[in-house]
C-alpha cells in the first residue's frame, strides 16, 4: 500500500490563494481514495500535529478548518475526512531510529533547497510518496531531490497536477491487476474519465500491446487538441453520425475503434470494436449501442 507524506518543507511566502491550493490538492486525494482499487492508505503522514505545522504563516490545522470545498453540496462531509487523514505523526512513530539511519546518516547534512529535510529523508527511507502543495516550481516536479551531503536522493512527489505520473509510478511499484486500465483512466490530466462496464470488460480481455496502443491513441488525441471538447480530424478522431458520438480510430488491429464523447471536463468511453468486426448488419449498430451506454453513464452521475 502507498502512504503519502505531507511535505511541510515549503517556501515562507505564497502570493496566491493558499487555501484554494490546499483545497484542490485535498479534493484530488479524496478522489483517489474513492477509487477503492488503488492501493493507497487512507491517511497522510506528517512530522508533527497539524496545529504545529506552519505553511506560509498559516497552520495546517487552519487550512483544514477552512476547507471551503466542503460548502458545496456533494462535498459537505469532506472536511470531516480531512481531520481523519492527518492523524499519523510523528514521521518516525512506528520505527526505531537505528533502523532508518546509519551512523553516517546521523552525521549528514540533509537539505532541500537549503532547508533541513531530515523528515523528508526519513519518509523516503520508509518508502512513502511525498505530497507537496504546488506553491512554486521546485515543488511542481515528479521527483523531489534531497541533498544528503553531496549525494542527491530522489523520491516520488505528487502535487496534484501530475496524477498521470503518479499512477504510472504506483503501477510500477505495486502489483495491480489491470494496470493499463488505471493508466487510461487517469490519462486526461484534470479531466475525469468514466468508462462503461462493456468497454472495461473488452479492454481487460485485450492483449497488453493493444491496450498500450489504445492508450497511445488517446495521448495523441489529447496532445492534438481533439478532446475537451471533442472534435474530429478524420485521422485520429472521427465525428460519427450518431448524436455526440466520436470514434478514436486507427487502421491497426483490424481497424480499432473506441467510441467516446466529451462533456465539459469529462470523457465518457462507451465501447470498443473494429471496422472489420461489428455486431449487427453494420458498424452503425456498434456506434448506436455505444451512444446508449454513454447516455446511461451520464444519467448515472446525475443522480
Amino acid at each position: 500500500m502507498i502512504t503519502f507524506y505531507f511535505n511541510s518543507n515549503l517556501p515562507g511566502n505564497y502570493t496566491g490563494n493558499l487555501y484554494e491550493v490546499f483545497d484542490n490538492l485535498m479534493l484530488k486525494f479524496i478522489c483517489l481514495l474513492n477509487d477503492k482499487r488503488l492501493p493507497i492508505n487512507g491517511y497522510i503522514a506528517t512530522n508533527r500535529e497539524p496545529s504545529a505545522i506552519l505553511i506560509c504563516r498559516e497552520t495546517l490545522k487552519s487550512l483544514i478548518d477552512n476547507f471551503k470545498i466542503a460548502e458545496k453540496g456533494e462535498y459537505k462531509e469532506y472536511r470531516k475526512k480531512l481531520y481523519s487523514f492527518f492523524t499519523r505523526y510523528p514521521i518516525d512513530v512506528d520505527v526505531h531510529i537505528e533502523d532508518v539511519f546509519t551512523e553516517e546518516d546521523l552525521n549528514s547534512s540533509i537539505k532541500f533547497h537549503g532547508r533541513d529535510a531530515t523528515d523528508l529523508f526519513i519518509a523516503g527511507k520508509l518508502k512513502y510518496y511525498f505530497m507537496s502543495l504546488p506553491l512554486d516550481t521546485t515543488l511542481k516536479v515528479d521527483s523531489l531531490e534531497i541533498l544528503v551531503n553531496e549525494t542527491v536522493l530522489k523520491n516520488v512527489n505528487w502535487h496534484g497536477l501530475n496524477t498521470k505520473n503518479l499512477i504510472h509510478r504506483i503501477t510500477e511499484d505495486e502489483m495491480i491487476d489491470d494496470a493499463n486500465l488505471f493508466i487510461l483512466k487517469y490519462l486526461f490530466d484534470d479531466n475525469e474519465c468514466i468508462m462503461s462496464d462493456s468497454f472495461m470488460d473488452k479492454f481487460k480481455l485485450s492483449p497488453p500491446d493493444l491496450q498500450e496502443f489504445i492508450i497511445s491513441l488517446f495521448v495523441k488525441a489529447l496532445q492534438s487538441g481533439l478532446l475537451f471538447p471533442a472534435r474530429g480530424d478524420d485521422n485520429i478522431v472521427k465525428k460519427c453520425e450518431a448524436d455526440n458520438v466520436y470514434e478514436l480510430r486507427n487502421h491497426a488491429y483490424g481497424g480499432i475503434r473506441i467510441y467516446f464523447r466529451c462533456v465539459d471536463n469529462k470523457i465518457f468511453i462507451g465501447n470498443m470494436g473494429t471496422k472489420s468486426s461489428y455486431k449487427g448488419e453494420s458498424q452503425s449498430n456498434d456506434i448506436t449501442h455505444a451512444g446508449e451506454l454513454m447516455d446511461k453513464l451520464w444519467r448515472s452521475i446525475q443522480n
Side-chain angles (χ1 to χ4, degrees), residues 172-185:
E172 290 174 0
D173 293 347
E174 299 285 320
M175 292 296 294
I176 299 180
D177 293 333
D178 305 313
N180 280 333
L181 194 64
F182 281 100
I183 291 171
L184 176 59
K185 180 177 180 179

Side-chain angles (χ1 to χ4, degrees), residues 251-265:
H251 67 275
Y253 295 94
I256 187 67
R257 300 290 189 265
I258 311 298
Y259 304 107
F260 74 94
R261 71 171 53 135
C262 294
V263 181
D264 299 325
N265 70 326

Side-chain angles (χ1 to χ4, degrees), residues 174-230:
E174 299 285 320
M175 292 296 294
I176 299 180
D177 293 333
D178 305 313
N180 280 333
L181 194 64
F182 281 100
I183 291 171
L184 176 59
K185 180 177 180 179
Y186 292 97
L187 181 70
F188 304 97
D189 301 320
D190 277 346
N191 302 293
E192 183 179 2
C193 178
I194 303 169
M195 296 177 274
S196 73
D197 290 340
S198 180
F199 169 77
M200 289 191 289
D201 289 343
K202 291 180 180 178
F203 186 88
K204 288 187 287 188
L205 290 172
S206 300
D209 59 328
L210 175 54
Q211 294 178 2
E212 292 167 6
F213 186 70
I214 290 171
I215 291 169
S216 71
L217 288 179
F218 272 114
V219 169
K220 289 179 181 178
L222 185 64
Q223 293 175 343
S224 300
L226 302 176
L227 308 176
F228 312 108

Side-chain angles (χ1 to χ4, degrees), residues 105-265:
D105 293 335
L106 291 170
N107 296 308
S108 295
S109 169
I110 305 172
K111 301 289 184 180
F112 172 68
H113 283 269
R115 303 184 292 270
D116 180 75
T118 302
D119 62 323
L120 295 180
F121 179 75
I122 297 174
K125 284 278 191 173
L126 294 175
K127 301 188 184 304
Y128 292 171
Y129 286 7
F130 297 156
M131 173 190 286
S132 300
L133 293 172
L135 302 183
D136 64 21
T137 56
T138 68
L139 299 163
K140 297 177 184 178
V141 292
D142 295 336
S143 296
L144 212 61
E145 296 184 353
I146 306 167
L147 188 63
V148 181
N149 295 330
E150 300 301 319
T151 302
V152 174
L153 299 181
K154 295 183 179 181
N155 193 48
V156 179
N157 180 58
W158 180 59
H159 50 80
L161 306 177
N162 62 335
T163 299
K164 180 166 48 178
N165 177 74
L166 171 70
I167 297 301
H168 274 282
R169 291 303 302 263
I170 290 176
T171 57
E172 290 174 0
D173 293 347
E174 299 285 320
M175 292 296 294
I176 299 180
D177 293 333
D178 305 313
N180 280 333
L181 194 64
F182 281 100
I183 291 171
L184 176 59
K185 180 177 180 179
Y186 292 97
L187 181 70
F188 304 97
D189 301 320
D190 277 346
N191 302 293
E192 183 179 2
C193 178
I194 303 169
M195 296 177 274
S196 73
D197 290 340
S198 180
F199 169 77
M200 289 191 289
D201 289 343
K202 291 180 180 178
F203 186 88
K204 288 187 287 188
L205 290 172
S206 300
D209 59 328
L210 175 54
Q211 294 178 2
E212 292 167 6
F213 186 70
I214 290 171
I215 291 169
S216 71
L217 288 179
F218 272 114
V219 169
K220 289 179 181 178
L222 185 64
Q223 293 175 343
S224 300
L226 302 176
L227 308 176
F228 312 108
R231 65 179 183 86
D233 69 342
D234 290 330
N235 182 20
I236 303 172
V237 174
K238 179 183 178 181
K239 175 70 169 68
C240 300
E241 292 184 6
D243 183 41
N244 198 22
V245 177
Y246 290 79
E247 62 178 32
L248 187 75
R249 60 184 194 156
N250 193 274
H251 67 275
Y253 295 94
I256 187 67
R257 300 290 189 265
I258 311 298
Y259 304 107
F260 74 94
R261 71 171 53 135
C262 294
V263 181
D264 299 325
N265 70 326

